[in-house]
């Protein structure tokens, strides 16, 4: 019997560059998906065929031999090792075919979705009860992708993909708190590829570390988090202790946290499309001017979209290239897509989508 499963990519609505500050994120699953089909074999070989945008490879894994990693992103093998180490009994072999329409290396969590969908199809094939547990799948995915290779990374992508829909995530030091938001967002999102590779190392050096250093400098004044500036505005006086370079980045994170809280309140009462667009623009403005993670090509995409009716938009992912998206009324979506693509960029109209699932 063939088992078919899939899992979604995501866009980060609010909270970009806030997860590593132990703050919050609001993300939405979208209808770009990683798919997997699996059937049982009569031996103990797991044969994986993987195809997608920019990827094509095969993995042949013998369950009777030690599974050794060939590189630090050997995620198919790490997923099997993590499952077995956690007590999941994989006794027989399987033929698994995987494909995806998610852009690779563009901040669209293609690696995470590959790991999540692979774990999902294995749990379905061995008929384990955790196959229907999105939190367990997310945590197993995080262990296989991040913990196993001692890499930096948060849990936003794993939770967004496994749960689907619209999620509010709070990244406390000891636990990630997941709150599904039962809010249907009207209109649509339009994703665009800037055709620039992300400059992750450069972005982390310019956006992440100066803020962490600034918070460390302010510990002596009782400041432990960006939240402290929002919960008690008297703490804003301590900002004058920072250098100008760090000050602008901390201020950007303070306003982005305020923006997220305003959006959270709106999602609780119903979405005002114009306000959602304004909040997205405000968030991106802080990412562009404060954290300096945008690029001229991303700005060209956004400006062209605004000229043709988009309500708001922002960079998606860590920045320095990769993808961005805009939010618009459905009636304006095709015109926006056509005008931006006419400048040489790739784009696609998106809708909110469900999480990891079995497909008919």
């Amino acid at each position: 019997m063939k088992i078919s499963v899939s899992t979604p990519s995501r866009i980060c609505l609010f909270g970009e560059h806030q997860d590593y500050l132990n703050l919050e994120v609001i993300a939405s699953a979208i209808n770009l998906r990683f798919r997997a089909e699996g059937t049982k074999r009569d031996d103990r070989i797991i044969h994986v065929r993987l195809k997608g945008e920019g990827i094509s490879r095969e993995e042949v894994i013998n369950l009777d031999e030690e599974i050794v990693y060939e590189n630090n992103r050997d995620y198919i093998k790490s997923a099997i090792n993590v499952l077995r180490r956690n007590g999941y009994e994989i006794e027989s072999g399987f033929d698994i075919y995987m494909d995806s329409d998610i852009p690779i290396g563009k901040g669209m969590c293609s690696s995470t979705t590959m790991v999540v969908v692979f774990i999902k199809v294995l749990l379905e094939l061995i008929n384990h009860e955790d196959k229907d547990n999105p939190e367990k799948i997310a945590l197993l995915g995080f262990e296989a992708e991040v913990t196993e290779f001692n890499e930096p990374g948060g849990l936003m992508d794993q939770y967004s993909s496994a749960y689907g829909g619209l999620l509010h995530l709070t990244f406390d030091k000891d636990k990630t708190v997941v709150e599904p938001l039962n809010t249907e967002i009207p209109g649509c999102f339009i994703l665009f590829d800037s055709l620039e590779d992300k400059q992750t190392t450069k972005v982390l050096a310019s956006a992440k570390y100066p803020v962490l250093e600034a918070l460390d400098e302010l510990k002596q004044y009782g400041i432990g988090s960006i939240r402290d500036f929002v919960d008690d505005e008297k703490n804003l006086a301590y900002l004058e202790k920072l250098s100008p370079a760090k000050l602008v980045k901390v201020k950007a994170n303070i306003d982005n946290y305020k923006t997220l809280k305003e959006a959270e309140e709106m999602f609780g009462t119903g979405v005002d499309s114009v306000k959602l667009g304004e909040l997205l623009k405000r968030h991106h403005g802080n990412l562009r001017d404060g954290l300096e993670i945008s690029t001229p090509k991303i700005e060209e995409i956004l400006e062209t979209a605004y000229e043709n009716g988009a309500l708001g938009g922002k960079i998606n992912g860590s920045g320095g290239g990769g993808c961005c998206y805009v939010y618009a009324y459905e009636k304006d979506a095709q015109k926006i897509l056509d005008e931006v693509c006419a400048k040489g960029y790739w784009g696609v109209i998106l809708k909110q989508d469900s999480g990891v699932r079995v497909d008919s």
Side-chain angles (χ1 to χ4, degrees):
M1 184 176 67
K2 181 185 291 183
I3 299 291
S4 298
V5 302
S6 67
T7 202
S9 181
R10 59 92 188 99
I11 54 175
C12 177
L13 297 182
F14 300 97
E16 213 77 77
H17 282 273
Q18 304 251 296
D19 54 346
Y20 55 72
L21 300 175
N22 293 319
L23 294 174
E24 302 165 37
V25 165
I26 295 176
S28 174
I30 55 173
N31 58 333
L32 295 177
R33 301 184 74 88
F34 219 117
R35 293 168 290 274
E37 293 180 347
T39 54
K40 186 176 180 180
R41 295 169 59 103
D42 294 329
D43 54 21
R44 285 173 57 78
I45 300 293
I46 294 182
H47 187 184
V48 181
R49 296 176 178 89
L50 177 62
K51 288 193 176 183
E53 186 68 30
I55 52 172
S56 178
R57 74 171 194 264
E58 288 190 48
E59 296 265 6
V60 179
I61 301 163
N62 189 336
L63 295 174
D64 290 326
E65 299 176 357
E66 182 183 2
I67 299 176
V68 179
Y69 303 138
E70 296 180 15
N71 54 67
N72 284 337
R73 294 194 167 188
D74 209 344
Y75 297 139
I76 297 297
K77 292 177 181 176
S78 68
I80 296 172
N81 278 341
V82 165
L83 284 169
R84 297 172 93 182
R85 194 183 307 136
N86 281 274
Y88 297 90
E89 296 181 0
I90 304 175
E91 299 297 338
S92 69
F94 302 104
D95 284 317
I96 298 175
Y97 173 79
M98 303 173 71
D99 72 272
S100 167
D101 48 23
I102 300 170
I104 305 298
K106 300 293 184 177
M108 299 304 299
C109 65
S110 55
S111 296
T112 294
T113 50
M114 180 185 73
V115 174
V116 167
V117 81
F118 186 63
I119 289 172
K120 170 68 171 176
V121 76
L122 287 176
L123 293 177
E124 291 285 347
L125 287 165
I126 67 175
N127 196 29
H128 195 281
E129 61 181 9
D130 287 344
K131 62 185 171 46
D132 298 317
N133 186 335
E135 181 167 35
K136 192 65 179 179
I137 292 172
L139 293 174
L140 288 167
F142 180 81
E143 185 176 346
E145 182 182 0
V146 179
T147 308
E148 190 76 354
F149 299 107
N150 195 31
E151 292 201 354
L155 275 157
M156 174 178 69
D157 292 352
Q158 289 83 6
Y159 273 113
S160 296
S161 186
Y163 276 84
L166 188 67
L167 287 185
H168 175 253
L169 302 169
T170 303
F171 297 99
D172 290 332
K173 290 182 179 180
D174 299 322
K175 184 180 180 182
T176 300
V177 180
V178 184
E179 179 189 0
L181 301 176
N182 297 318
T183 305
E184 192 70 30
I185 299 176
C188 63
F189 296 97
I190 311 166
L191 182 75
F192 294 106
D193 185 351
S194 71
L195 308 180
E196 299 174 295
D197 291 334
K198 291 198 309 168
Q199 302 176 45
T200 304
T201 302
K202 180 180 177 182
V203 165
L204 289 177
S206 66
K208 176 179 180 178
Y209 300 123
V211 178
L212 293 175
E213 290 167 6
L215 290 174
D216 190 58
E217 291 173 17
L218 296 177
K219 275 184 180 179
Q220 59 183 308
Y221 305 107
I223 305 297
S225 168
I226 292 293
R227 284 192 185 95
D228 294 332
F229 298 107
V230 179
D231 294 342
D232 186 353
E233 292 192 354
K234 292 178 182 177
N235 288 323
L236 293 172
Y238 295 117
L239 292 176
E240 66 182 27
K241 308 291 185 182
L242 299 174
S243 68
K246 291 176 181 176
L247 176 62
V248 69
K249 297 182 187 303
V250 171
K251 280 187 171 180
N253 275 295
I254 292 171
D255 193 62
N256 277 343
Y257 182 63
K258 289 181 178 179
T259 304
L260 179 142
K261 300 308 287 185
E262 288 184 34
E264 181 186 3
E265 183 178 356
M266 179 187 66
F267 286 137
T269 58
V271 176
D272 179 318
S273 294
V274 173
K275 182 177 180 180
L276 175 56
E278 291 172 348
L279 291 172
L280 289 170
K281 277 187 175 181
R282 178 175 151 193
H283 189 7
H284 178 76
N286 288 322
L287 296 172
R288 178 192 63 222
D289 303 330
L291 299 185
E292 301 177 286
I293 66 167
S294 190
T295 70
K297 289 187 176 182
I298 287 172
E299 294 307 312
E300 180 185 31
I301 291 170
L302 294 177
E303 286 305 315
T304 303
Y306 297 152
E307 290 168 2
N308 289 279
L311 299 170
K314 61 180 282 291
I315 201 162
N316 189 54
S318 58
C323 290
C324 62
Y325 68 85
V326 296
Y327 172 63
Y329 297 121
E330 289 189 17
K331 65 181 180 64
D332 298 322
Q334 192 61 51
K335 180 185 178 184
I336 294 167
L337 180 66
D338 292 343
E339 291 298 324
V340 174
C341 290
K343 292 183 178 291
Y345 300 104
W346 173 89
V348 62
I349 298 172
L350 302 172
K351 295 291 286 185
Q352 191 173 311
D353 206 358
S354 58
V356 66
R357 69 190 184 207
V358 174
D359 292 321
S360 59

